[in-house]
Amino acid sequence: MTGLTTAAARALDSTLDRTIAPGFTRLGYAVRRRLPTWPADPTPGILTGHHVAVTGASSGLGECTAHDLAALGATVHLVVRDAGRGGRVAAEIESAVGRAGAARVWVCDVADLDSVRTFCSAFLAAGLPLRALVHNAGALPATRTESPQGHELTMALHVLGPVLMTELLLPLLGADAGRVVFVTSGGMYSQPLPVDDPEFLRGEYSGTTAYARSKRGQIELLPILARRWLPAGVSVSATHPGWAATPGVQTSLPRFNALLGPSLRTAGEGADTTTWVVAADPAPASGQLWHDRQPRPTSIMRRTHPTALQRERFWEWVAESVTLPDFPSP
């Protein structure tokens, strides 16, 4: 493997990506790590003195990401719904890195826009400059469920809440050349942007379809958000973890979990690129989707590739739903 030329390594990497199954499993991660195109690991201690917030940090990918960022020196802010579970993770992080204060717990339901506003108000009052905000909180409901504001749950949790949270925390992110990371899913490749029905009011509801549609929404907002947040000095990326074994997958997709079994990535392998995007020096280019430390196409099938007008229409729905006082379309 070490004798591969750069061109051959890139071709192999792309082949793994396009064929999905090998590239998204443990095999894809193991092969890519051995290619000469694999970027260097973050410098030890590179996040010392920096603050990073991770939503959904009480289990799975979010918990692993928080551990990895703290190991690089960051003070990690665990944004969770359950303070008790968050406290357990915080204690484990501080024990692992041997540093008191390495992790702090904040309670917030990202799907609840009022909860997001309350959390952001408290965080802004603390005045801590943010190096990164990782939007990892996720859910895959079995039946159509609405947020407290009446939005379909996956769109509220994966799109509306994260956009609102970032907008409110921009002053803190801009103070440290901040990076915003949406942890998305390869499942979004199967779905087009639901411009005409973002709330999934039509047809028979499917949790897996709703999840993938909301993740498509994250991806298609990237160019718009990159332009919007550039004046604040804030970049935005999305990462997808491949197929990783997490509590969420085991609970929400038991057949998928049982079928792939040992082929699934560990949480650490799934979280690797998110940690790398946060810690890489220099910062990765804004507005891109990353998987296994390389930029990836956002659509594979033509039917899932939206027009610029469709992206703008979706953005207008997000802007109206979030109802910030100053929220113009870019």
Side-chain angles (χ1 to χ4, degrees), residues 29-230:
Y29 182 79
V31 170
R32 286 176 173 134
R33 281 200 66 93
R34 290 164 174 77
L35 296 179
T37 49
W38 184 261
D41 291 340
T43 304
I46 193 169
L47 295 178
T48 299
H50 294 283
H51 295 265
V52 179
V54 182
T55 69
S58 61
S59 67
L61 296 174
E63 179 179 358
C64 193
T65 300
H67 271 274
D68 291 346
L69 295 172
L72 290 171
T75 296
V76 182
H77 299 269
L78 313 178
V79 184
V80 299
R81 288 191 303 166
D82 188 320
R85 293 174 62 186
R88 173 190 59 79
V89 174
E92 291 173 354
I93 288 174
E94 293 186 351
S95 175
V97 301
R99 178 162 44 95
R104 179 175 175 183
V105 178
W106 301 78
V107 175
C108 177
D109 179 354
V110 181
D112 182 347
L113 300 183
D114 291 336
S115 181
V116 170
R117 290 187 175 94
T118 298
F119 157 70
C120 289
S121 178
F123 204 94
L124 285 164
L128 303 172
L130 270 178
R131 170 61 177 270
L133 173 58
V134 179
H135 293 299
N136 170 81
L140 196 163
T143 59
R144 189 181 183 281
T145 307
E146 292 188 350
S147 72
Q149 288 74 37
H151 299 293
E152 190 276 323
L153 184 64
T154 63
M155 278 294 181
L157 181 56
H158 304 150
V159 178
L160 301 181
V163 168
L164 175 61
M165 184 180 293
T166 306
E167 286 281 330
L168 295 177
L169 296 181
L170 273 182
L172 302 182
L173 286 159
D176 195 14
R179 305 174 190 186
V180 178
V181 182
F182 288 86
V183 179
T184 189
S185 166
M188 63 88 192
Y189 282 118
S190 69
Q191 293 296 319
L193 187 65
V195 178
D196 296 321
D197 186 22
E199 301 278 14
F200 215 138
L201 295 171
R202 306 172 193 166
E204 184 178 355
Y205 185 85
S206 162
T208 54
T209 299
Y211 182 89
R213 284 164 46 138
S214 67
K215 294 297 184 177
R216 167 60 65 186
Q218 291 178 334
I219 295 303
E220 298 307 337
L221 285 180
L222 287 176
I224 292 174
L225 297 177
R227 294 195 303 269
R228 180 174 176 85
W229 295 337
L230 177 63

Side-chain angles (χ1 to χ4, degrees), residues 28 45 322:
V322 171

Side-chain angles (χ1 to χ4, degrees), residues 252-274:
S252 301
L253 299 171
R255 292 183 181 179
F256 177 83
N257 183 73
L259 178 64
L260 290 179
S263 298
L264 294 176
R265 298 181 177 204
T266 66
E269 291 165 345
D272 174 85
T273 297
T274 300

